[in-house]
């Protein structure tokens, strides 16, 4: 059996199974590292005690150290989540359950889930973006999960910010008005003085939000030329968002990149995740196959 | 023998050889497709007549169709260069010389040249950016040249444009003030009313230019997490640029991404091409090895 852990800053999802139709999962809030990781370990304990557990994959928030030759490989190195900086998440799980453990970012996990079981099945070049408490992106290029010097931090790109139209200064602790600083769920809530989910569909918040998201997406398109973009996260639950974003992306690209995949079929180009809240844990399970051999 | 063609909008470079120390090359201006491609064909004719030519690689300006299953594979589909839209550059060269031909973008060609023979030798994740008449980017991810739905068009990302500090509206025919619209060589010349190369080192043009380039680079870094960035093109010949860009990238990233490769060793992170004006043609030659088998 293969296990997966989606380690999010808000909640953890642990699961065992082989796909969306064969998944036993449990979700619990992220509290302290000790309490939360113990909870995860308990979830898998019965399987490891019975020697049924072959490997575990972790799709985690971070920054993560994913450099296998580093002394802090598998650690959450630095995070705004109090108490979680310098947590050896991979080591703690591995030592407690005594199985091989694979790790990647939360968004690469969700991307891999959608690649294996969901809306990115036939795509070797795609992006998975989540717009929630933070904004994060991952995905595949040439059929491999995106990595590099560190890992993508797509939420922190700089985009045009017209301060006359939108005087809100942004809330990124590093950059103020980067994409995440302007367009995360908390940024919407702070700008308009109300939780994002309570703003009505006809509120001007959504057009502005779609504009910022579309600016970021067109930048990703120019840089990566993805074959599909999957948008997840709490903010995308607002159903007016997806059509607004699609329209705005077309408007921003103008006559540039006249590919029918975008100009004629954008409903099939910018999509939501198929696996919903289980993309991360299913991707984490799939990580074991991709990676355990290399650990 | 393997041949390479760097097909640029301003000039073509044709070459035969095995590396920087064994290269016979010739350069000539880009005029009409017929005249220019005939000139290239003449360069290789003696070798093909003697059956010495195994394959040719082309690194071309574009847009290009790089989809091998498309009916217009190998064509320059659309370009601002008059007369060159819908030019079957691969087909014309292949039929005239009767050898296998590989093709990729001009910037992926230069990137591959630097990967094989230059400043990207040990890097499987890097970007090559040229800042000249236009701005274009390519590079490798996971050890493979960047491709996707089309190919990267990194010059056309949107970046913050403070119209009070810089009222120039930009010259991109698609987007006005995208990165290329604000920061290409012609944009500098139009903004300040003088050819870029004639502006003195202490002119405010260069600080502004470095700011725009650094905004784009930090976006590339957040999205791709490259292990190195190589900056070429005419504008980079201005020697004040490179140090200004390095400083500004560090300033823009702030405390974000505290990797010593960037914070302590940026002179080794943002660099110029080693092969200079021969990166493209050497990369084009190297393309034959990467690709001819798949054609
Ligand atoms: N229906 C909704 N419409 C708009 N925003 C929402 C909605 N539901 C949740 N959000 C916002 O999404 C954010 C939470 O995102 P989510 O992806 O659920 O969590 P996390 O990013 O912490 O994993 C919050 O800022 C919340 O205000
Ligand atoms: N020394 C220099 N300093 C600044 N800009 C320069 C310099 N030399 C050339 N340029 C600018 O670079 C552009 C040409 O770029 P180049 O890379 O040589 O050609 P292309 O992009 O057409 O292949 C022109 O806009 C020119 O003004
Ligand atoms: Zn930021
Ligand atoms: Zn543009």
């Amino acid at each position: 059996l293969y296990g997966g852990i989606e380690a999010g800053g808000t909640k953890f999802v642990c699961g065992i199974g082989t796909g969306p139709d064969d998944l036993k999962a449990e979700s619990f809030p992220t509290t302290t590292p000790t309490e939360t990781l113990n909870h995860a370990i308990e979830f898998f304990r019965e399987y490891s005690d019975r020697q049924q557990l072959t490997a575990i994959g972790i799709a985690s928030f971070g920054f993560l150290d994913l450099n296998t030759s580093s002394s802090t490989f598998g650690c959450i190195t630095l995070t705004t989540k109090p108490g979680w900086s310098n947590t050896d998440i991979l080591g703690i799980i591995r030592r407690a359950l005594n199985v091989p453990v694979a790790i990647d970012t939360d968004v690469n996990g969700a991307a891999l889930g959608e690649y294996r079981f969901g809306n990115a099945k036939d795509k070797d070049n795609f992006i998975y973006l989540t717009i929630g408490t933070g904004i994060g992106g991952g995905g595949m290029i040439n059929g491999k999960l995106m990595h590099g010097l560190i890992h993508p931090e797509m939420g922190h790109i700089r985009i045009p910010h017209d301060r006359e139209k939108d005087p809100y200064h942004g809330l990124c602790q590093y950059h103020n008005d980067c994409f995440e600083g302007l367009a995360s769920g908390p940024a919407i809530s702070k700008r308009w003085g109300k939780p994002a989910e309570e703003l009505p569909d006809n509120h001007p918040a959504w057009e502005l939000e779609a504009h910022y998201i579309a600016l970021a997406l067109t930048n990703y398109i120019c840089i990566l030329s993805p074959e599909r973009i999957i948008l997840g996260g709490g903010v995308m639950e607002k159903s007016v968002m997806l059509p607004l974003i699609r329209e705005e992306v077309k408007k921003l690209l103008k006559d540039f990149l006249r590919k029918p995949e975008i100009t004629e079929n954008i409903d099939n180009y910018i999509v939501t995740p198929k696996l919903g809240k289980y993309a991360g844990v299913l991707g984490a399970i799939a990580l074991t196959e991709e990676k355990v051999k290399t650990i």
Side-chain angles (χ1 to χ4, degrees), chain A residues 130-184:
Chain A
T130 175
I131 304 152
T133 307
I135 299 184
M140 282 197 165
I141 299 178
N142 291 323
K144 287 187 183 178
L145 289 170
M146 290 177 70
H147 293 120
L149 183 63
I150 317 179
H151 46 69
E153 285 290 344
M154 295 193 191
H156 292 271
I157 62 169
R158 294 332 201 285
I159 53 174
H161 173 200
D162 181 340
R163 282 167 197 274
E164 271 175 43
K165 259 175 133 178
D166 174 25
Y168 180 62
H169 48 81
L171 53 59
C172 174
Q173 64 156 318
Y174 298 104
H175 319 108
N176 295 319
D177 65 346
C178 67
F179 175 36
E180 173 170 306
L182 291 171
S184 67

Side-chain angles (χ1 to χ4, degrees), chain A residues 79-98:
Chain A
T79 168
T80 52
K81 180 91 185 163
W84 281 84
S85 290
N86 304 311
T87 298
D88 182 9
I89 183 167
L90 179 139
I92 290 168
I93 297 290
R94 176 158 57 189
R95 284 190 296 273
L97 296 169
N98 200 25

